[in-house]
Amino acid sequence: MQALVMSEPGNVKLTEIPTPVPGPDEVLIKVGASGICTNDIRDYLGDCDYSYPRIGGHEFAGTIEALGSAVDARRFQAGQRVVKYIIEDCKECYFCHTGHENICEEHPRSRIFHSEDGISGYAGFAEYVIAKADDIMVFEHEESFIKMAFTEPMACVINSIECTDVHFGQDCLVIGGGTMGLLHVMLLRLRGARVIVSEPMEARRAMALELGASEVLDPAEGDAVRKVRVLTGGRGADFVYNTVSHPAIAAQAVRMTAACGTCVMFSSIHPREDVPLDAGRIHSMQVTVTGAVSPTIRAYFESVQMLDKGLVDPTPLIEGVFDCTEFQAAMDTALRPDSYKVIVRFGA
Ligand SMILES: [Zn+2]
Ligand SMILES: [Zn+2]
C-alpha cells in the first residue's frame, strides 16, 4: 500500500510499504479521507519528541476492508463506513476505570508516539490502517469521508463543551476563530448559548458571525478583557473556551471569565510556561479553571451521531482537499496561519 511516511520532521514521502494484516480482534480500514491536525503540523515542524519513521494522521475515515477472525460479524461487515476512536486506552488504568480514557496512562507509551523497531504514528495518512474492532464506530447515513474526517476534532470540542454546564441564553466566549474555535461556535449555538468570538483576523471574525456567533471582537485592538466585560453586563463570559496556544492569552482567558464561570484550556500551551493568575479572584469569584484534551469514548460517539444525523455540517471549515500524491501542497496550505481544515484523500 501507499503511505505518507515521515522519515524525519519536514520530510514526508508517499512510500510503498506492506499492507497491514488485521489480527483476530482487528479490522482493516481502507482510508477515504484524513484531516491534517495541528498536532500533525507540530510533528512536521519537529516540535514533538516522537520516534521516526512515522505515519501521522489521526482524523481518518474509511470503509471496512477486512475483518479479523474473532470480530463479531453481526456487528461489523466489509464495506461499512467507519471511524476509529484514536486513544490507545488500556481499559485497565485508574483513568480508564473512572471514565477518563482520554487521559489513559498507557496512551503516551503506545506505538503512536514511539516505536523501537518500526513505524510510529496514528497511521491514518495511508491507504489502509488497522483498528481494534472495539474502537470502531459505524456511520449509517453520512456518505462523505471528508465530513466523517471531522469526527475526531469535533469530538475534542464536544469533550470541551461537556466540561461546562451551559444553560440557554448564557454567554460563551470562544478565543480563536480557527477550525477548533469555529467548531465550538457551531456546537455552542446548538446548546442555546450566546456566542462571542475573540479573533484578530477579520475574515475569521466574518466566518464566526456566519456560523452563528452573536458578537465578535478584535483582541489586537484595545483592551480585550474590557470589551468582553462591556458585552456581558460587566460580568465577563459565563464560559470561556481558549483555543489559542499562546501563554499570555491563557492568562487573559481567565480574566475574561465571569464570577461562578468556567474557563476551559482547550489548546495546548506553546511555549509551555507558567502564566500569572489572580488566585484571589478565582477564590472570591468562584471561577473554575479547567482543561480539555482529546475526546472520551462518549464524546467521540456523540461526534459520530452529530455528523451522521446531519445535525452539524462542517463543510464551511474545509480549506482544501488534496490527493495523497499532493501532500506537500496540503501541508503547505495547512501551515498557513489563516487556513482552516485541510483534508488528504486516499483512494479514488
Ligand atoms: Zn486532531
Ligand atoms: Zn488506561
Side-chain angles (χ1 to χ4, degrees):
M1 70 167 181
Q2 303 266 294
L4 288 161
V5 179
M6 192 186 301
S7 53
E8 62 188 337
N11 189 349
V12 179
K13 283 203 174 63
L14 197 61
T15 309
E16 186 68 28
I17 60 168
T19 303
V21 177
D25 60 345
E26 293 175 333
V27 299
L28 182 66
I29 299 170
K30 185 177 199 295
V31 176
S34 210
I36 297 181
C37 183
T38 305
N39 175 258
D40 292 309
I41 295 171
R42 292 213 178 96
D43 188 6
Y44 180 83
L45 295 174
D47 205 6
C48 305
D49 65 343
Y50 304 153
S51 76
Y52 297 87
R54 177 169 174 79
I55 302 172
H58 59 265
E59 300 176 0
F60 58 87
T63 49
I64 295 181
E65 178 83 5
L67 306 173
S69 57
V71 174
D72 186 346
R74 290 169 307 174
R75 197 172 290 278
F76 299 111
Q77 298 94 41
Q80 279 175 320
R81 305 169 85 80
V82 294
V83 292
K84 178 198 178 221
Y85 179 62
I86 54 126
I87 303 293
E88 292 285 315
D89 54 324
C90 70
K91 302 177 175 69
E92 293 170 354
C93 75
Y94 181 86
F95 299 102
C96 282
H97 281 156
T98 52
H100 304 294
E101 57 279 346
N102 53 325
I103 38 180
C104 170
E105 289 173 355
E106 294 304 319
H107 179 65
R109 299 182 195 131
S110 72
R111 276 179 76 89
I112 286 170
F113 306 105
H114 293 99
S115 172
E116 306 264 296
D117 54 348
I119 299 174
S120 70
Y122 289 97
F125 289 149
E127 275 185 288
Y128 294 95
V129 62
I130 291 281
K132 290 252 189 282
D134 60 11
D135 285 333
I136 293 296
M137 294 184 198
V138 177
F139 277 71
E140 305 287 347
H141 310 290
E142 180 54 59
E143 302 264 295
S144 159
F145 293 127
I146 292 165
K147 285 191 200 177
M148 287 167 66
F150 278 86
T151 303
E152 195 271 343
M154 189 181 298
C156 292
V157 173
I158 288 174
N159 182 55
S160 168
I161 293 173
E162 289 185 346
C163 293
T164 56
D165 183 20
V166 181
H167 285 252
F168 290 105
Q170 283 193 297
D171 287 324
C172 291
L173 170 69
V174 178
I175 301 177
T179 303
M180 298 314 243
L182 294 177
L183 283 172
H184 273 87
V185 172
M186 293 163 105
L187 292 171
L188 285 166
R189 270 307 297 264
L190 291 171
R191 286 238 157 164
R194 178 173 74 152
V195 185
I196 303 165
V197 174
S198 172
E199 161 60 50
M201 282 186 222
E202 193 181 345
R204 287 188 161 190
R205 289 198 300 274
M207 179 73 115
L209 288 169
E210 255 173 63
L211 295 178
S214 296
E215 304 284 347
V216 290
L217 63 95
D218 178 0
E221 249 183 39
D223 182 346
V225 177
R226 211 184 136 263
K227 282 187 190 174
V228 171
R229 296 223 173 112
V230 167
L231 287 169
T232 54
R235 290 184 302 275
D238 298 301
F239 301 101
V240 176
Y241 309 85
N242 179 28
T243 73
V244 174
S245 64
H246 197 283
I249 307 287
Q252 207 176 47
V254 178
R255 293 209 304 277
M256 290 167 165
T257 310
C260 303
T262 299
C263 179
V264 182
M265 296 302 168
F266 176 83
S267 174
S268 55
I269 301 298
H270 297 264
R272 181 91 164 252
E273 51 189 48
D274 290 353
V275 295
L277 294 181
D278 180 353
R281 181 171 173 273
I282 291 172
H283 158 73
S284 59
M285 295 289 122
Q286 289 197 189
V287 174
T288 301
V289 180
T290 186
V293 63
S294 301
T296 57
I297 292 170
R298 182 171 184 150
Y300 211 85
F301 184 64
E302 288 178 16
S303 184
V304 169
Q305 302 276 294
M306 293 300 285
L307 288 164
D308 197 25
K309 294 176 180 174
L311 298 171
V312 62
D313 180 5
T315 305
L317 303 178
I318 300 167
E319 181 70 34
V321 180
F322 293 83
D323 190 75
C324 61
T325 55
E326 309 167 314
F327 184 77
Q328 193 57 54
M331 185 51 89
D332 290 344
T333 304
L335 283 165
R336 271 187 8 230
D338 64 322
S339 69
Y340 296 111
K341 182 60 72 184
V342 175
I343 306 274
V344 181
R345 204 167 35 196
F346 289 84

